[in-house]
Every structure is written in structure tokens, then in C-alpha cells.
């Protein structure tokens, strides 16, 4: 059995366990580096090649596990929630549910106005617009883009995010007596 050919073949098969994108970018150079180092070790020190091969295989296996863990980490729940318009709609609605429950739980027989539905629509639209503006910023950050490189588009977005958040919080604070069952709301 030809030891160098077998070891090179085993290392090549080990590299095939890396995620496809990683393997496409670095697999060939990793294989070439291993082959060069193995040939160098086997020529200079006949008895030390086994330790080198064992250490390299263990280190490569650890790298494979890390790359797969990073790949799984990239597919996280927050990314899916913030980058999907449909889930932005649901998320903005979920922000309103505590206030709706609070108003329902504290309602009384006191006279009320019919502006309640308009309040919910405005609160929902404010939070929806906030999330829609936030999505491209989150995508750029996750893609590794430098935010200040696009400061022309970033500054207005941050301004609108601050304004929308301020309006939403101000409206909640203003309507809190109504949520708590106040009369004349």
C-alpha cells in the first residue's frame, strides 16, 4: 500500500466534508498546502510524519465543525424575521397586542369615542414603516457592508427611524389613560 497516496486521498476526502462554498474557495489551496508540507516532513524526518498527519487531520476536522456551525448560525431566526415583509406585518401587529389587551381588560361603561380603531391603525402603520425602513439597514449590516460608505442613504433612514419611534412612543404615552380605562377616550 502506498502511504503517501493513501494519506493524500484521505485528506482530500476530509476536505470534502467542508461546506460547499468554503470548499470551493479554499479547498484546492488547503490540499496543495497539505501535500507540500507532508512531502517536506516525510523527506526530512521519517518518523515525524505521523504526528504531522494526525495533528493536521484533527485540526481540519475541528475546522469542518466550526464552518458548519457558522453556516447554521447565519440562518438564524432574527434574520428571517427582520428581512421578510410578511413577518414585519405580523411583528408590528404583535407590538400592539399588549395595549389592546390592556384596553380591553380595563374598559368601563364610561362614554368613549370611536377613534379607537383609527388609533390601532396608526400605531400599526408606524411600527410597520419602522420595520420596513429597518430591513435594508439590517441586510447591509449582516452582509458586512460598511454603513458609513452609504451615509447619503443611511442618514435619512436613521432620521426616519428615530422620528417613527418617537411618534409611536409619544402616541402610546398620550393614549395610556385610554388604555387604562379612562373616560372620554
Amino acid at each position: 500500500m502506498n502511504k503517501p497516496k493513501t494519506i493524500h486521498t484521505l485528506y482530500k476526502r476530509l476536505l470534502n466534508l467542508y461546506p460547499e462554498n468554503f470548499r470551493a474557495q479554499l479547498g484546492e489551496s488547503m490540499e496543495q498546502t497539505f501535500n507540500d508540507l507532508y512531502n517536506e516532513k516525510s523527506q526530512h524526518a521519517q518518523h515525524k510524519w505521523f504526528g504531522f498527519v494526525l495533528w493536521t487531520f484533527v485540526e481540519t476536522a475541528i475546522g469542518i465543525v466550526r464552518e458548519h456551525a457558522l453556516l447554521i448560525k447565519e440562518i438564524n431566526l432574527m434574520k428571517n424575521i427582520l428581512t421578510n415583509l410578511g413577518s414585519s406585518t405580523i411583528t408590528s401587529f404583535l407590538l400592539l397586542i399588549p395595549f389592546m389587551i390592556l384596553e380591553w381588560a380595563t374598559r368601563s361603561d364610561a362614554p368613549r369615542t370611536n377613534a379607537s380603531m383609527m388609533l390601532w391603525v396608526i400605531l400599526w402603520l408606524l411600527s410597520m414603516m419602522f420595520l420596513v425602513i429597518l430591513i435594508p439597514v439590517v441586510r447591509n449590516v449582516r452582509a458586512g457592508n460598511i454603513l458609513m460608505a452609504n451615509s447619503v442613504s443611511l442618514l435619512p433612514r436613521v432620521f426616519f427611524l428615530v422620528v417613527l419611534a418617537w411618534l409611536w412612543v409619544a402616541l402610546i404615552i398620550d393614549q395610556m389613560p385610554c388604555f387604562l380605562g379612562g373616560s372620554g377616550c
Side-chain angles (χ1 to χ4, degrees), residues 79 82-83 134-148 150 154 157-158:
K79 178 182 175 185
L82 291 177
T83 57
L134 184 65
I135 287 171
V137 175
V138 170
R139 283 185 182 156
N140 283 335
V141 169
R142 293 192 63 80
N145 296 342
I146 299 173
L147 290 177
M148 285 304 157
N150 299 327
L154 179 65
R157 288 179 188 200
V158 170

Side-chain angles (χ1 to χ4, degrees), residues 4 7 10 26 38 45 50-51 58 64 79 89 93 104 115 123 130 136 147 152 169 172 182:
I7 291 172
L10 287 174
L26 300 172
Y38 176 78
F50 180 75
V58 168
I64 290 168
K79 178 182 175 185
T89 304
F93 179 73
W104 179 78
L123 286 172
F130 182 87
L147 290 177
V152 173
V169 170
I172 291 291

Side-chain angles (χ1 to χ4, degrees), residues 36-183:
D36 292 344
L37 290 173
Y38 176 78
N39 291 336
E40 183 181 319
K41 292 281 184 190
S42 63
Q43 287 176 359
H44 294 318
Q46 296 272 338
H47 61 283
K48 292 190 176 183
W49 67 267
F50 180 75
F52 165 74
V53 170
L54 181 65
W55 177 252
T56 304
F57 275 55
V58 168
E59 190 176 19
T60 303
I62 291 170
I64 290 168
V65 171
R66 279 188 193 148
E67 287 302 316
H68 280 287
L70 287 173
L71 190 63
I72 291 169
K73 189 177 178 182
E74 286 178 3
I75 308 170
N76 67 18
L77 182 61
M78 195 54 138
K79 178 182 175 185
N80 290 336
I81 288 174
L82 291 177
T83 57
N84 186 340
L85 185 61
S87 53
S88 295
T89 304
I90 293 169
T91 304
S92 59
F93 179 73
L94 291 175
L95 289 172
L96 301 179
I97 288 179
F99 300 106
M100 290 178 166
I101 292 172
L102 185 62
E103 184 180 20
W104 179 78
T106 59
R107 69 175 183 240
S108 65
D109 292 334
R112 302 175 68 95
T113 65
N114 291 330
S116 182
M117 184 54 84
M118 184 57 86
L119 171 67
W120 299 121
V121 169
I122 291 171
L123 286 172
W124 176 75
L125 284 174
L126 286 172
S127 58
M128 178 72 175
M129 287 188 302
F130 182 87
L131 291 172
V132 167
I133 293 171
L134 184 65
I135 287 171
V137 175
V138 170
R139 283 185 182 156
N140 283 335
V141 169
R142 293 192 63 80
N145 296 342
I146 299 173
L147 290 177
M148 285 304 157
N150 299 327
S151 61
V152 173
S153 66
L154 179 65
L155 291 175
R157 288 179 188 200
V158 170
F159 174 76
F160 284 120
L161 287 173
V162 169
V163 168
L164 290 171
W166 176 75
L167 286 171
W168 196 83
V169 170
L171 195 55
I172 291 291
I173 290 171
D174 180 62
Q175 295 298 312
M176 191 55 75
C178 297
F179 299 148
L180 296 174
S183 61

